Amino acid sequence: MSKLSQRHLLGIKDITREDIELIFETADNFKEVINRPIKKVPSLRDVTIANVFFENSTRTRLSFELAEKRLSADVVNFSASGSSVKKGETLLDTVNNILAMKVDMVVMRHASAGAPHFLSKHIKANIVNAGDGTHEHPTQALLDAFSIREQLGGVGGKKIAIIGDILHSRVALSNIFALKKLGAEVMVCGPATLIPKFISTLGVQVELDVAKALEWCDVANVLRIQLERQQLKYFPSLREYSLYYGISKKTLDNLKKKIVLMHPGPINRGVELTSDAADSPHSIILDQVENGVAVRMAVLYLLAGATN
Ligand code: CP
């Protein structure tokens, strides 16, 4: 079996183009498996995986759990709310206690950037970053790029616009790393206050006008306004954001060409996307969710192979 270059998946920054292609080829096989009447394979039998979530999640958490169960792994779930974290237990103590119960892999979401990197230096289990603060969300970027490849036959040379709150988005950063490694042209678009100053050093174009970004791109990956991470006011009101940056089905229908509409979820309906855009034939939002299970199966399977 081919192997990944890393024993953890902490970020897309750390992995190679060959790693990404290997994950996609493996996910192609798992996508076929999860569409069969019998959706389970014994690949991770006797492997125990802990999903350790210190921050809210719907898609990522369910998707990892399903991926693990489809691979026949034993699964334990931990969420910070209702745990001894509330009594003051540290991250390292929490995870070491979970590992003492003979856990092989830890899938972790945490509000602090770098939390999974810290853990990887202190524990033996494989770590998968399921989102760390405003830093990286590697499996989201992998499933996004996998979905683009599926829709357009490849990622290299395609024009991808990432639109919205780039400043607070771990999805944006991981997507930029993945798409650039795969040879795509990448543009970020949003209000100037929501675009970090350093972003052009990553080799992406910056566009403040969403109409121009939509005319330019083959794929629009629209991001949520992350109100929970915004201590300051970056724009006057959600209504004004929606007026200038919100995308409707009519906007998409009126473009000179067909583009693919993506969103990592959760959607703020009526803010970055109208409901008729999110549910339109342009949208592949639920295909992204379906692909997330196959891509996460591939990541877990390959990481388990890296240590066995
Ligand atoms: N896309 C994403 O990470 O969604 P959740 O926060 O629901 O996991």
Side-chain angles (χ1 to χ4, degrees):
M1 183 179 91
S2 300
K3 287 190 172 187
L4 295 177
S5 65
Q6 308 285 319
R7 58 181 299 271
H8 306 291
L9 179 63
L10 301 176
I12 302 292
K13 193 175 182 200
D14 313 314
I15 64 173
T16 62
R17 179 186 178 128
E18 290 70 35
D19 288 330
I20 298 174
E21 283 166 353
L22 176 60
I23 291 167
F24 287 178
E25 282 157 25
T26 311
D28 285 335
N29 294 329
F30 285 131
K31 182 149 183 185
E32 195 261 311
V33 167
I34 60 178
N35 281 295
R36 284 185 204 155
I38 297 170
K39 299 173 174 55
K40 249 179 133 157
V41 285
S43 313
L44 294 193
R45 205 165 44 206
D46 299 328
V47 173
T48 304
I49 305 179
N51 299 313
V52 179
F53 278 65
F54 291 87
E55 210 191 42
N56 296 343
S57 170
T58 299
R59 277 148 293 273
T60 310
R61 184 174 173 152
L62 282 176
S63 180
F64 267 112
E65 188 172 346
L66 266 177
E68 291 150 6
K69 288 181 171 165
R70 301 279 189 246
L71 291 166
S72 306
D74 293 320
V75 180
V76 286
N77 289 307
F78 166 93
S79 61
S81 58
S83 75
S84 291
V85 169
K86 296 285 169 207
K87 300 175 194 164
E89 191 162 57
T90 65
L91 171 62
L92 191 55
D93 279 342
T94 300
V95 175
N96 271 330
N97 275 275
I98 294 168
L99 292 178
M101 301 176 211
K102 308 290 174 222
V103 165
D104 304 296
M105 301 177 90
V106 176
V107 174
M108 190 176 76
R109 172 168 287 192
H110 201 282
S112 298
H117 306 69
F118 167 79
L119 266 197
S120 71
K121 290 185 173 57
H122 291 90
I123 65 175
K124 283 204 196 104
N126 308 92
I127 312 279
V128 183
N129 180 2
D132 62 326
T134 57
H135 182 218
E136 281 227 40
H137 191 349
T139 56
Q140 181 68 48
L142 290 169
L143 76 89
D144 288 345
F146 183 84
S147 303
I148 294 168
R149 168 181 175 266
E150 185 177 70
Q151 288 293 318
L152 302 181
V155 178
K158 299 295 182 296
K159 294 178 173 174
I160 321 295
I162 305 173
I163 300 171
D165 183 355
I166 312 298
L167 183 67
H168 299 96
S169 176
R170 54 195 176 208
V171 175
L173 197 57
S174 288
N175 260 269
I176 291 168
F177 289 138
L179 295 169
K180 295 291 295 177
K181 283 181 194 216
L182 294 170
E185 287 184 56
V186 183
M187 173 184 280
V188 294
C189 174
T193 49
L194 289 177
I195 297 185
K197 296 268 182 291
F198 71 84
I199 207 83
S200 48
T201 64
L202 301 179
V204 304
Q205 299 179 53
V206 176
E207 175 58 67
L208 304 183
D209 182 339
V210 74
K212 287 186 184 161
L214 291 174
E215 286 297 346
W216 173 84
C217 71
D218 301 309
V219 177
N221 195 354
V222 182
L223 306 179
R224 181 171 72 89
I225 293 293
Q226 303 209 17
L227 291 171
E228 75 277 20
R229 296 195 205 278
Q230 298 188 7
Q231 269 85 49
L232 299 167
K233 264 201 158 317
Y234 291 88
F235 47 87
S237 67
L238 282 179
R239 195 161 168 271
E240 186 164 317
Y241 181 85
S242 162
L243 194 65
Y244 286 100
Y245 286 95
I247 296 171
S248 67
K249 180 171 182 294
K250 192 171 165 209
T251 321
L252 298 171
D253 288 344
N254 287 343
L255 293 173
K256 294 190 195 86
K257 59 178 180 181
K258 194 170 173 285
I259 67 164
V260 175
L261 178 69
M262 300 173 67
H263 192 302
I267 305 169
N268 288 320
R269 285 178 182 257
V271 180
E272 65 268 8
L273 285 181
T274 58
S275 275
D276 67 356
D279 302 332
S280 72
H282 303 281
S283 163
I284 61 156
I285 294 170
L286 292 179
D287 299 290
Q288 290 172 257
V289 176
E290 178 182 344
N291 287 335
V293 178
V295 166
R296 290 179 173 117
M297 286 172 80
V299 166
L300 296 165
Y301 172 79
L302 291 165
L303 287 177
T307 46
N308 289 345

